[in-house]
Amino acid sequence: MKINSFILVIVVSLALSFVGNAFDPSPLQDFCVATDSSHPSVFVNGLICKDPNHVTADDFYYSGLNIPGNTSNQLGVNVTILTADAIPGLNTNGLTLARIDFAANGGLNPPHTHPRAAEILVVLEGTIYAGFVTSNPDHRLFSKILKPGDVFVFPFGMVHFQLNLGKKPALAMAALTSQNPGVMTVANAVFGAEPSINVDVVAKAFHLDKNFVRELQGQEWSNPS
């Protein structure tokens, strides 16, 4: 019994350590403002830390998020992402902010995942259909029609999407729980891979005719800009 208890403690400890390591590392200092200087002394989260004596308020500041993004593209969407590249003071804080502009009549942020982050979305203008799908084996769809002031959460790593249902442009803001959340657009990854995935793989996985797969692979697959 003692041995089994000891093993249980070890297993639980390992599980907790994996959970703890699933997110960005906790900072070990007040801040680490990213810099492109060639004479640094400290790296944190892969970026160089600016000398604290040279840090200013501007390192934690960004202006211009009120400016609409250009949605005249294939998807009718524009995602303006603020990472440590735009706000150096974000470095080590595990945060990313995004402005999402949707064109009228069907602007779409297509099904995608963030492999390193959960996301919380707040609608500011328009009517947006948003949802996510759970992982194997259930593939349950959780979706809502969102209006200004509504908030929706996309859990860590889940495939999710947003569609503008209105006749006018729509606007949403999103916060993500990583300073480098990553984006994997599902259709682009499957049909727009370079070089192309073997037709047999895609046809069988998606229950599609091989000629149709070849046609899809020959199309242009643009990422949300």
Side-chain angles (χ1 to χ4, degrees):
M1 183 63 68
K2 289 183 178 179
I3 294 177
N4 289 339
S5 298
F6 176 74
I7 293 175
L8 178 61
V9 170
I10 295 297
V11 170
V12 171
S13 298
L14 287 172
L16 290 175
S17 69
F18 283 123
V19 170
N21 289 328
F23 301 91
D24 289 357
S26 297
L28 301 178
Q29 56 209 65
D30 287 345
F31 51 75
C32 173
V33 172
T35 178
D36 57 5
S37 169
S38 60
H39 302 288
S41 58
V42 180
F43 287 80
V44 178
N45 290 3
L47 295 176
I48 301 166
C49 293
K50 193 175 187 179
D51 184 337
N53 293 324
H54 297 159
V55 170
T56 70
D58 286 339
D59 291 316
F60 303 92
Y61 171 80
Y62 178 89
S63 179
L65 202 59
N66 60 312
I67 300 172
N70 182 6
T71 59
S72 59
N73 53 57
Q74 185 185 76
L75 296 167
V77 70
N78 186 285
V79 182
T80 303
I81 300 178
L82 298 185
T83 63
D85 291 333
I87 308 177
L90 274 176
N91 190 39
T92 76
N93 283 294
L95 292 171
T96 293
L97 182 66
R99 172 186 173 125
I100 311 173
D101 289 279
F102 300 85
N105 300 311
L108 172 68
N109 195 6
H112 63 281
T113 69
H114 300 292
R116 293 178 289 276
E119 177 180 348
I120 184 167
L121 180 89
V122 56
V123 175
L124 300 180
E125 299 174 10
T127 302
I128 294 175
Y129 170 56
F132 68 88
V133 179
T134 62
S135 59
N136 298 357
D138 298 328
H139 304 132
R140 292 181 62 194
L141 171 65
F142 291 86
S143 64
K144 293 284 289 185
I145 294 177
L146 307 174
K147 298 193 174 180
D150 291 345
V151 176
F152 200 71
V153 173
F154 305 113
F156 199 109
M158 298 293 99
V159 174
H160 59 285
F161 57 86
Q162 302 106 35
L163 173 70
N164 182 9
L165 298 178
K167 296 180 180 180
K168 296 181 178 180
L171 172 64
M173 293 285 187
L176 299 100
T177 60
S178 170
Q179 74 177 61
N180 185 22
V183 182
M184 174 68 77
T185 306
V186 177
N188 298 32
V190 173
F191 299 107
E194 292 290 345
S196 297
I197 300 173
N198 184 289
V199 170
D200 292 328
V201 173
V202 179
K204 189 168 186 177
F206 286 83
H207 303 183
L208 297 174
D209 177 79
K210 292 182 182 179
N211 289 328
F212 185 50
V213 171
R214 292 188 184 96
E215 181 181 340
L216 290 174
Q217 290 179 332
Q219 295 181 13
E220 179 181 351
W221 294 90
S222 64
N223 292 308
S225 57

